[in-house]
Amino acid sequence: MMKKTSRKGKGGRACVVVLGDLGRSPRMQYHALSLACQANLEVDIVAYGGSQPHSALLEHRSIHIHTMTPWPKFLQNLPWIFRPVTLLVKPLIQFLMLLWFLVRIRSPAFFIVQNPPSVPTLIAVKWVSVLKRSAFIIDWHNFGHTLLALSLGRNSSFVAVYRWIEKHFGKMADGSFCVTKAMQHELAENWDIKATVFYDQSPEFFHVASLLEKHELFYRLHNNIIQPLGLQDCVSYGAGMLGHEHQETFLTRLVGKDIFLKQNRPAVVVSSTSWTPDEDFNILLEAAVMYDRRVAALLNEDDSIPDEFVWKEIYDEKQCLFPRLLFIITGKGPDKQEYEDKISKLHLKRVAFRTMWLSAEDYPLLLGSADLGVCLHTSSSGLDLPMKVVDMFGCGLPVCAVSYSCIDELVKVGKNGILFSSSSELADELLMLFRGFPNECNALHSLKKSIVEMGSRRWSTEWEEHAKPLISQVITQYQD
């Protein structure tokens, strides 16, 4: 997709570069929107297609998207023996394609490039920035060499070369952003790079969903939710009992003109993922099994009781100390099928899983409709923060997150979330938070109230205070 460009001069243009799926790169989408709306610039985006970006990006007259052809999927699954050749050929082809697209766009005042990936992105953008006499700015989301080390090992020669390129070209940038203070310290101490901390923040369209928004969202998602990944479960069992003609969803009921939340509704737990090795979803699956068994034990439930008997009692609105849990896992990625196969083999009475990919408009509504978020991100470098948690907080959603070195820059235990280090700890937290759901779960209500009281800074404010001054400074220095 390529929009018609305007004739605004070099000083009024910017270029955002993403060597990845633009629809799955929210931070770079927000950069483009801020450059167009808050800085009044014409913005070119060079990126791969795949997932649909937010409609605000597609509809803005000053944003022009140039879509590259991604690396063919069948080449990503070649046997291991071909891996060394792929590691050499793939970046070369990407480099030539990226050069072709960058050279053809109108010269911008500056490029902003997402890192990782570092190779060949940093090399190509630096070369073109010299050619076009434009400033070169890197937005450090993580370190590319640490991601490569997850598959090749830290002692790989490829990882060593990758790290050298990342550091060498990273130091050539005219300005740098990073996402944590821990990363800022690492860049300064060991890479000799001065970076400005620019925390991820959610835009204004992330908010607590209204009853009407919840009702309409789950009506749209009805066909996804009634389909279990394996055998019938505690959510699909009740599909035939729902009212028709937009009157009822799994969460809500429309009576006249009023919408009510059901008392016997499942608690909705959301986790978004790119299904990659730095997120171990076995932790979540094990915690779900533990929750299911511990609830049965706490209720002195006989294992011989048929699942259908338990489910019928739930749909007859029998009061229960612990709710059913509906885990909705959003995202795309290489390990998705593996985990869906594992989920399909689980036999759980009070837990159900659904995996889906939502539009950029529906994803914030899901977060705003959920009861709890779970984050399994551990960071390949230990220095970045998961943007998914920022989005959850923007929707007033408490989070249970895996504990690692710098997560406390984002998750404040007892105020906006809880940390865990094992599946058993996560299971304990689910039992504690959902005891008495939906009305008497005091610990969960306390976290939600605390998030509202803490408030949530928005992307536009953070960008105005931290990104815009650095960009202006870089342009001024570069022109001088």
Side-chain angles (χ1 to χ4, degrees), residues 14-18 28 31 35 110-114 125 135-139 177 463 471:
C15 181
V16 175
V17 183
V18 183
M28 303 312 284
H31 265 307
L35 289 167
F110 60 92
F111 291 91
I112 294 183
V113 57
Q114 170 184 294
V125 177
F136 171 42
I137 299 173
I138 300 176
D139 191 1
F177 300 116
W463 194 89
I471 291 171

Side-chain angles (χ1 to χ4, degrees), residues 22-49:
L22 179 60
R24 296 168 63 188
S25 306
R27 182 173 168 104
M28 303 312 284
Q29 291 185 58
Y30 304 158
H31 265 307
L33 285 169
S34 290
L35 289 167
C37 299
Q38 295 174 248
N40 195 30
L41 298 176
E42 293 289 326
V43 182
D44 291 298
I45 303 176
V46 177
Y48 289 142

Side-chain angles (χ1 to χ4, degrees), residues 296-312:
L298 289 167
L299 299 177
N300 294 317
E301 193 171 271
D302 192 329
D303 288 342
S304 64
I305 297 176
D307 295 349
E308 289 78 5
F309 181 83
V310 175
W311 298 339
K312 187 176 186 307

